[in-house]
Amino acid sequence: MEMLINVPETVVADALRGMAAAHPELAVDVENRVIVRKDAPVAGKVGLVSGGGSGHEPLHGGFVGPGMLSAACPGEVFTSPVPDQMVRAAAAVDSGAGVLFVVKNYTGDVLNFDMAAELAEDEGIQVAKVLVDDDVAVTDSLYTAGRRGTGATLFVEKIAGAAADEGQPLERVEAIARQVNENSRSFGVALSACTTPAKGSPTFDLPSGELELGIGIHGEPGRERRPMMTSAEIAEVALDAILEDLTPRDPVLVLVNGMGATPLLELYGFNAEVQRVLGERGVPVARVLVGNYVTSLDMAGASVTLCRIDEELLRLWDAPVRTPGLRWGM
């Protein structure tokens, strides 16, 4: 196993210590596994809390900061955080305006955030929840009932985070988050398997010269396995799947996301093909984001996410943001 780590047992704690040293604007509780904006709670502001298994960085801890999340709860690698983390995060960011939980549709995350919401409400914290389920590749998987939550999580956290920073009430922030999710669809492809520190070997068998279409961010199987395809061919397949399920009535946000081991040279080339296909299909593009944002450790591959937007959602997308993983306008 060739990894830049000490031992598998401390990989998350070590990463959190390093994050704390790199980002003094964040309060990183290594022992309790909670990352919070240092200025939280902000008076009159809805708190935004998300979280999930580690291994998807910068999701979620890298999206904590002005214009996005108030706090994040990292679990062990590919393992849901526990309710105690979520309650601690909610209490740290609650200003009395309520807290919105942004939850990816994975069984462990859903169950633990549901339990955390009940516990937080017992402590007098008003909580709302939004479930992200944007992946069109499969209906059910090893980790989910229903569609998986993938790239649209970034869109939900950014746009709802901007609304919360404007002082919009909990009901409105929740409605905006739901609108973003309902108008987003994603599709991913793996060129290689990922390797978890604990296992030390690939999490699934993907022979050389083959790829997996519709992969999940934990390496869950997709729709089918095929011989290696060109970037142009992959873009066609991914967007066929997305546009079969999403009819763009408005311009779209586009996320071309690397799965962790795909260099920007390849991602920008893939984006060129994505833009070509969208142009051929007559889909207007409002904004494009290219990079590694919702990853799967060292998996090679990419995902595409489209989100239909109106003028209000675009305004919120363009609003300033300052986090370790995403920043503009500040």
Side-chain angles (χ1 to χ4, degrees):
M1 180 174 65
E2 296 179 349
M3 291 184 174
L4 192 62
I5 64 172
N6 292 316
V7 293
E9 292 78 12
T10 66
V11 66
V12 175
D14 291 344
L16 290 175
R17 289 191 297 107
M19 187 176 198
H23 298 285
E25 73 275 14
L26 302 178
V28 181
D29 185 337
V30 177
E31 181 179 356
N32 293 304
R33 306 288 174 90
V34 177
I35 303 164
V36 182
R37 287 173 53 163
K38 268 196 175 173
D39 61 352
V42 178
K45 176 190 174 307
V46 169
L48 236 68
V49 175
S50 193
S54 296
H56 305 302
E57 289 74 21
L59 190 83
H60 292 275
F63 296 148
V64 175
M68 221 161 168
L69 293 176
S70 306
C73 309
E76 292 297 327
V77 173
F78 290 178
T79 302
S80 172
V82 297
D84 283 352
Q85 290 173 261
M86 302 160 187
V87 175
R88 186 173 281 107
V93 304
D94 180 39
S95 68
V99 173
L100 178 67
F101 284 165
V102 178
V103 188
K104 299 187 306 302
N105 188 31
Y106 294 95
T107 301
D109 290 4
V110 172
L111 292 174
N112 286 347
F113 270 103
D114 282 348
M115 185 179 301
E118 294 178 6
L119 294 171
E121 287 171 349
D122 288 344
E123 295 185 10
I125 301 171
Q126 184 184 5
V127 175
K129 302 187 298 293
V130 170
L131 189 68
V132 181
D133 57 354
D134 54 302
D135 182 21
V136 301
V138 294
T139 301
D140 298 295
S141 75
L142 299 175
Y143 293 80
T144 62
R147 291 179 167 175
R148 302 176 290 214
T150 58
T153 313
L154 182 151
F155 289 156
V156 171
E157 292 177 356
K158 169 62 184 79
I159 294 173
D165 269 20
E166 289 182 349
Q168 298 198 38
L170 179 60
E171 296 77 9
R172 180 60 184 153
V173 176
E174 177 188 5
I176 287 170
R178 292 188 187 281
Q179 181 184 356
V180 173
N181 178 64
E182 289 165 2
N183 284 279
S184 298
R185 300 290 187 277
S186 298
F187 189 91
V189 58
L191 310 181
S192 72
C194 60
T195 300
T196 62
K199 191 171 188 288
S201 60
T203 54
F204 62 95
D205 178 37
L206 185 58
S208 176
E210 296 187 1
L211 53 76
E212 184 87 19
L213 293 170
I215 198 74
I217 59 174
H218 305 95
E220 311 98 310
R223 289 187 171 186
E224 61 179 309
R225 189 165 290 185
R226 290 189 189 178
M228 192 61 65
M229 301 161 64
T230 66
S231 178
E233 291 168 336
I234 294 170
E236 295 272 358
V237 170
L239 289 165
D240 279 347
I242 290 171
L243 295 174
E244 181 180 340
D245 200 78
L246 183 78
T247 303
R249 300 182 298 267
D250 302 299
V252 297
L253 297 176
V254 180
L255 170 63
V256 173
N257 172 68
M259 300 303 290
T262 305
L264 280 171
L265 179 70
E266 295 176 33
L267 290 178
Y268 278 119
F270 183 50
N271 180 54
E273 300 301 336
V274 168
Q275 300 305 316
R276 173 187 60 79
V277 175
L278 291 174
E280 292 172 354
R281 307 292 169 82
V283 178
V285 174
R287 301 286 187 274
V288 182
L289 184 64
V290 179
N292 290 284
Y293 295 101
V294 183
T295 63
S296 184
L297 293 170
D298 60 344
M299 182 186 289
S303 63
V304 180
T305 305
L306 302 186
C307 176
R308 293 185 304 217
I309 55 163
D310 56 22
E311 290 184 4
E312 173 68 0
L313 295 186
L314 183 59
R315 183 186 68 79
L316 292 169
W317 173 258
D318 286 341
V321 58
R322 189 172 74 249
T323 71
L326 199 69
R327 59 178 61 211
W328 57 68
M330 287 185 173

